Amino acid sequence: MYETFLAIVPILASLEPHERAKIADALESRTYQNGENVVTEGEVGETFFLIESGTAEVEKAGAGVVGELGKGDYFGGE
């Protein structure tokens, strides 16, 4: 289900199909509501997020919204 999606993610596009298939098997889908925080600046990151659909605003403390991520973009991890 996710293999076609993973092929458009820039950092994964160069992988072989069988490598993307292994990643696809490990993915877990989550849905967030508008305005819901996914991660907070300064928290230890243990999760890597790939945006499958929709958008996410990037906010920086003291600066407000500094960017927007969309389908195929990624963030998180350590």
Side-chain angles (χ1 to χ4, degrees), residues 2-73:
Y2 293 113
E3 292 174 48
T4 303
F5 165 68
L6 293 177
I8 70 159
V9 176
I11 63 168
L12 304 176
S14 65
L15 296 178
E16 296 294 326
H18 71 277
E19 294 170 315
R20 284 194 300 270
K22 287 182 181 181
I23 293 171
D25 289 343
L27 291 179
E28 176 185 312
S29 186
R30 296 183 188 172
T31 302
Y32 294 89
Q33 300 301 314
N34 285 340
E36 184 177 1
N37 284 348
V38 177
V39 295
T40 300
E41 184 178 5
E43 289 182 342
V44 174
E46 296 181 358
T47 305
F48 181 76
F49 294 90
L50 296 166
I51 299 179
E52 182 181 1
S53 65
T55 59
E57 288 184 339
V58 179
E59 293 184 20
K60 186 158 181 68
V65 176
V66 295
E68 184 172 282
L69 303 173
K71 183 176 180 175
D73 290 329

